[in-house]
Amino acid sequence: MKKILIFLLTTLAVSSCSDFLKEYSQDMIVAKHPSDLDEVLLGSAYLGSSAVDGGPSGLRMGGFFNILDDDVNTGGDRLDSLGHSTTDVSKAWIQCMTGNYGYFAWQQDVGINFDGSLSNDDAATWDALYAHINVVNTILDEIQALPHESQKDLADWQRVQGESHFLRAQFYFWLVNLYGDEYEEATAAQKLGVPLKLIPGIEFEFTRASVKEVYDQINVDLAKADSFLICSPQAPDHMLHRASSEAVNLLWSRVLLHQQRWIEAADKAEKVITSENVYLAPISALAPNAAFLSDENPEVVFSQGCNNLSSPSVFTARNGDYCATRELYELYDSLDVRRTCFFSLYDETSGISNDSVRLNYKYQRGSSLRAHISDYGCLRLSEAYLNAAEAFAVLSAMPGGQPEKASRANALLNELRSQRIQGYQPQEYTGEELVQQIRTERRKELCFEGHRWFDLRRYAVCQPFPWSRDITHSFGVCGDYVGVMYRNIVVLPAHSINYTFAIPKSVLKYFTENPFETNPRDAIEPINKEDDETK
């Protein structure tokens, strides 16, 4: 791979961290103890949460993760009691017109707005992740020289390093799964991933590491994180927003699923399942009008980053706003309490109604709430159940596999369902049906948590049981508060190269003498249709 020049970090992120570690002013001194780096870790290495901020957006870190897949669409036309189209247009139409359309419609230029009159910068997620990686690199470099002879200093020295290695692993996992092809053992060493930056400071000369090299580094970081956090465990009351051994093993099991390392994935997930610090939330936690994913949910292992879905004004299923698909909604059994907790059908007392599906109370929703649980950066125990169940199911069903593993896969699936479905009776599945049942359960359980897009990528290359599909998004073109004028249909074909994002434009053009090698994307043209059957 050729050498390239690339600007990865914002000046603010570099200067604020390096200045703190070296010198703020004549009165400030360098860090003397490992605990001195803890404030930098918490304030600048972790992704901060924020208040309700107006919904999905390609202009912030992770803001588009939940508007890409087959679980999301936009609300259908509204009809009043006489069957006439209404002017019930959501303000979200303006947001879709600007910052989100290119992501939702899988365009070559994801920053483009609906009519092509504006192209926003598409580097927010890239820039944020590399800025935070640089902070982590600086902490890991600086901490090596700090004394750690006392018991407290040693514990802090180990814990800070453990959290830092975890964060770098998670950041690179997101980066390689956005800007690199999905991991396939046969091609991973040749496919381009993302640049690996592992030392502090500004560097300008990089190559794009291979997908395999990035995954190798993620595994190295997770192994180090686990060893440090075993020696210096996270206090249970600090686990929500600080990395713990449970968080490490849960993320690790997900990484290993992507690599199709089934035995290891199951092993890491089982370590989380057997932890005494987390347990599945009881079925009573899924009340129709109470938030399920809050900071009081006992199965939340870890969360970082903001929540793009907690505002009551987003995912309303109104004209121009996002909704969940009917396909997803109808997967839930009538006795599945997730159906009424996570979703509701659009209905207004004014006589305007239709059957589009709005997001209900999966997250805390309110105009003044602070988002404690992220819609893309949350790790919770139910994923460990599903990761282990999937790994055991594949091992049991693949040719020459281990059929005895089906028993454990079924047990995990049944235990999770018993905490979600009233009066649930355990089921037994075998072979590929067991694999598909677990994948469907994963879709229902982890919807709108930043999983589905990445899962669709890995299912497509799964060697024992590949699965892919076309995805259809319907986009209602609204006038100035006159309702839907017509509807655009966009289709992402199975195995499309658009599952991999192009390197951001600002990165490509920053150094014009030696441009960065990007990923190709296909042009997807919308089809105008009067009727919408995809809401």
Side-chain angles (χ1 to χ4, degrees):
M1 290 177 285
K2 61 184 180 181
K3 294 284 186 179
I4 56 91
L5 297 174
I6 183 171
F7 181 75
L8 294 177
L9 303 166
T10 63
T11 303
L12 177 61
V14 174
S15 62
S16 63
C17 183
S18 60
D19 287 350
F20 173 82
L21 296 173
K22 294 178 181 178
E23 184 172 56
Y24 270 125
S25 67
Q26 297 292 333
D27 300 324
M28 303 300 289
I29 59 175
V30 297
K32 293 183 177 180
H33 300 280
S35 59
D36 294 336
L37 294 174
D38 199 54
E39 184 177 347
V40 179
L41 178 70
L42 186 59
S44 299
Y46 283 97
L47 299 174
S49 63
S50 63
V52 170
D53 50 25
S57 172
L59 303 178
R60 73 174 70 90
M61 164 59 210
F64 58 90
F65 285 13
N66 287 306
I67 60 171
L68 300 170
D69 56 54
D70 53 348
D71 287 339
V72 64
N73 227 310
T74 55
D77 299 344
R78 305 292 175 261
L79 302 178
D80 61 22
S81 58
L82 299 177
H84 299 149
S85 181
T86 75
T87 59
D88 174 42
V89 180
S90 170
K91 67 178 182 180
W93 164 244
I94 304 302
Q95 297 171 342
C96 292
M97 282 281 287
T98 54
N100 296 347
Y101 174 75
Y103 292 95
F104 179 76
W106 313 293
Q107 298 296 288
Q108 285 179 311
D109 178 0
V110 293
I112 199 167
N113 66 339
F114 173 72
D115 60 10
S117 62
L118 177 67
S119 182
N120 294 291
D121 183 40
D122 57 349
T125 292
W126 174 285
D127 288 346
L129 290 175
Y130 273 111
H132 284 267
I133 285 170
N134 191 66
V135 175
V136 168
N137 291 340
T138 303
I139 291 172
L140 288 173
D141 181 68
E142 292 287 331
I143 202 170
Q144 301 307 315
L146 297 183
H148 48 276
E149 287 77 20
S150 72
Q151 185 175 357
K152 181 183 184 305
D153 280 349
L154 177 60
D156 290 336
W157 188 81
Q158 292 169 327
R159 179 183 54 77
V160 169
Q161 289 187 83
E163 293 181 53
S164 297
H165 281 291
F166 166 84
L167 290 175
R168 191 164 68 183
Q170 188 170 47
F171 298 154
Y172 273 121
F173 177 76
W174 281 327
L175 281 165
V176 76
N177 276 283
L178 291 170
Y179 302 104
D181 288 341
E182 181 53 46
Y183 188 98
E184 292 184 84
E185 186 63 33
T187 62
Q190 290 77 47
K191 292 291 185 68
L192 291 177
V194 294
L196 279 174
K197 188 180 188 303
L198 304 173
I199 59 176
I202 300 177
E203 299 174 67
F204 295 104
E205 192 169 342
F206 285 88
T207 60
R208 280 182 72 179
S210 70
V211 171
K212 183 179 186 303
E213 288 171 328
V214 179
Y215 268 87
D216 286 348
Q217 181 60 46
I218 292 170
N219 282 292
V220 166
D221 275 327
L222 290 172
K224 290 182 178 179
D226 193 39
S227 64
F228 280 125
L229 290 170
I230 286 174
C231 293
S232 181
Q234 195 70 259
D237 58 344
H238 290 166
M239 283 175 54
L240 180 60
H241 296 303
R242 306 294 290 262
S244 61
S245 181
E246 288 88 350
V248 170
N249 281 289
L250 182 45
L251 176 61
W252 208 347
S253 70
R254 189 192 303 178
V255 170
L256 292 166
L257 279 187
H258 278 256
Q259 293 185 278
Q260 301 181 51
R261 294 163 60 176
W262 311 111
I263 295 175
E264 296 163 277
D267 176 67
K268 302 304 180 187
E270 289 278 32
K271 289 182 179 180
V272 185
I273 293 168
T274 57
S275 170
E276 296 180 353
N277 293 320
V278 287
Y279 57 90
L280 287 178
I283 200 168
S284 59
L286 287 149
N289 296 310
F292 175 61
L293 284 181
S294 71
D295 53 356
E296 297 181 356
N297 187 308
E299 66 184 52
V300 175
V301 174
F302 168 76
S303 181
Q304 68 167 329
C306 69
N307 190 304
N308 300 282
L309 307 180
S310 59
S311 169
S313 63
V314 301
F315 264 79
T316 63
R318 296 170 64 188
N319 287 344
D321 196 7
Y322 300 110
C323 66
T325 60
R326 290 289 301 200
E327 179 185 77
L328 172 64
Y329 181 73
E330 290 171 0
L331 287 176
Y332 298 87
D333 184 273
S334 61
L335 296 177
D336 193 326
V337 292
R338 289 173 296 191
R339 180 168 177 161
T340 52
C341 177
F342 294 175
F343 309 109
S344 62
L345 296 181
Y346 182 91
D347 186 21
E348 289 191 340
T349 57
S350 61
I352 302 170
S353 66
N354 85 348
D355 60 354
S356 290
V357 183
R358 65 192 304 171
L359 199 62
N360 199 22
Y361 284 101
K362 183 161 195 178
Y363 298 104
Q364 291 175 301
R365 292 168 69 81
S367 58
S368 61
L369 288 173
R370 190 164 185 83
H372 293 287
I373 305 300
S374 171
D375 68 303
Y376 63 85
C378 175
L379 296 168
R380 59 190 181 97
L381 181 59
S382 58
E383 186 195 346
Y385 275 76
L386 291 161
N387 290 355
E390 181 181 341
F392 285 133
V394 172
L395 286 169
S396 72
M398 62 193 305
Q402 306 171 49
E404 69 278 4
K405 300 294 186 183
S407 176
R408 180 59 177 158
N410 277 295
L412 291 165
L413 178 62
N414 286 326
E415 185 174 354
L416 176 61
R417 284 178 171 175
S418 70
Q419 297 301 326
R420 304 294 186 254
I421 304 172
Q422 295 175 331
Y424 177 73
Q425 297 299 313
Q427 304 293 313
E428 292 294 322
Y429 306 101
T430 59
E432 187 171 356
E433 183 186 11
L434 175 58
V435 176
Q436 296 302 335
Q437 286 285 337
I438 293 166
R439 288 178 177 177
T440 299
E441 199 63 35
R442 183 182 188 88
R443 184 181 182 186
K444 294 189 293 182
E445 177 68 17
L446 301 177
C447 62
F448 302 108
E449 294 183 48
H451 289 270
R452 181 65 176 173
W453 178 255
F454 299 116
D455 284 340
L456 290 172
R457 283 167 47 93
R458 68 181 179 88
Y459 293 157
V461 300
C462 178
Q463 287 300 314
F465 305 107
W467 183 84
S468 60
R469 69 180 308 182
D470 294 350
I471 304 176
T472 300
H473 279 178
S474 171
F475 195 80
V477 180
C478 299
D480 294 333
Y481 294 90
V482 295
V484 173
M485 298 183 297
Y486 61 91
R487 194 162 285 280
N488 275 342
I489 306 298
V490 286
V491 179
L492 179 69
H495 304 288
S496 170
I497 60 174
N498 292 26
Y499 272 98
T500 301
F501 285 89
I503 302 299
K505 298 187 296 293
S506 59
V507 174
L508 293 175
K509 69 182 182 181
Y510 190 84
F511 295 104
T512 57
E513 294 180 0
N514 195 359
F516 198 67
E517 188 173 356
T518 191
N519 307 313
R521 284 175 70 86
D522 286 329
I524 296 180
E525 298 296 334
I527 303 169
N528 293 342
K529 289 191 176 182
E530 294 183 0
D531 297 323
D532 174 30
E533 298 177 356
T534 61
K535 56 183 180 289

